[in-house]
Amino acid sequence: MNIKENISLETYNTFGIAVNAKRFISVDSVYQLQQLLKIERDVFLISGGSNMLLTKDIEKLVVHINIKGISIDNETSDVVYLTVNSGENWHEFVQWCISENYGGIENLSLIPGNVGTCPIQNIGAYGVEVKDTITKVEGLAIKTGKLVHFSNEQCKFGYRNSIFKNEAKGKYILTSVSFRLTKRNHTLNTSYGAIETELISNKITHPTLKNISDAVISIRKSKLPDPTKIGNSGSFFKNPVIPISQFLLLQKEFPTIPSYPVSDTEIKIPAGWLVEQSGFKGKRFGDAGVHKRQALVLVNYNHASGKEIYELAKKIQKTVKSKFRVSLEIEVNIID
Ligand code: EPU
């Protein structure tokens, strides 16, 4: 086993936080992972590093999941069933699907991270959530080293949520994700306002998967910072879901408050709006800041520490709470 010592994790997390791993190993097969679990179980996992904020050096053995490979399990003339190993880069996988004319995840273009972590927070964007294409998730039980399968139902997917953030948290290392994608008669989702506008401005009336992906890429590039240039983890907060009764009171006070329907009793409000209205959009505190075009995204301008970014997040939560009486929940995993 090639365990390295004192490795900087700066390039392994999209926030670009320079903490060290005392010991570090990159694994590229399920077998290697099983062998490793026989000797060490109390490990810290890192994959694409796109949804974590590291606030200190990692004492545990850091295991970088780098298991690659895509296989076609089955196909008909209408659909294809694929299994993708967890170390595959998400966006590259999406782009490969588009080149093969496999539909279903084109709206999820340019989301940072790897395939193996997409089910954990049920990544979603522009009207699509990954849960709608996942058929199965496979992982190793850390306790026993045995392979375990989760059907879509067993994953208990919700908005930015799944069993892997709740009762199964910390118990499994996800090794592959299986998808069902369409080969023809694709269900295109262009309902999200900005996509429609983008397609119209490009004079596209009958969009292909690639047209949609290109539209999403262009929207994301115009709003969200590129993590290879400015460290960030995408949306730092979840959009809060509150009771409609509470929303109506807020609306009296703040008539322009935007909202999305959720159910007969609950409504979702954009965290980005709350953060912007609290005066944080574009603000910089040392090297930690709030992105100038999307207040939902906290950024590391250069050498911010994870602690500085976490302090900023707490300051935002406090201000939003006192102004709107709404609690902002952090979406990113804080490692402290
Ligand atoms: N808004 C503001 N100020 C801001 C940002 C947003 O007022 O600085 C308000 C606007 O009213 C806007 C509304 O918030 O209309 C919604 O903003 P946007 O359409 O940009 O989407 P979002 O709710 O902020 C969610 C996801 C994103 C995903 C987009 C598009 C969450 C927490 N975030 O953002 O996901 O890309 O929708 O579907 O649900 C991610 O998870 O990393 C991520 C980027």
Side-chain angles (χ1 to χ4, degrees), residues 45 120 138-144 146-150 163-164 167-175:
L45 302 170
I120 301 177
E138 209 166 67
L140 286 183
I142 294 178
K143 237 183 191 170
T144 61
K146 290 217 168 91
L147 262 186
V148 183
H149 306 260
F150 294 85
I163 192 170
F164 308 110
E167 59 264 43
K169 189 174 178 176
K171 294 189 181 148
Y172 302 93
I173 302 177
L174 302 188
T175 50

Side-chain angles (χ1 to χ4, degrees), residues 121 124-127 159-160 192 220 223-224 233-235 237-239 258 260 270 272-273 276-277 281 293-296 331:
Q121 52 154 337
Y126 307 105
Y159 164 62
R160 294 292 191 278
Y192 202 90
R220 286 188 77 98
K223 278 200 192 177
L224 297 167
S233 239
S235 303
F237 303 101
K238 284 190 190 182
N239 287 334
Y260 309 109
W273 186 87
E276 179 171 350
Q277 298 299 314
K281 192 170 185 173
R293 289 193 299 273
Q294 168 54 284
L296 192 49
E331 196 212 330

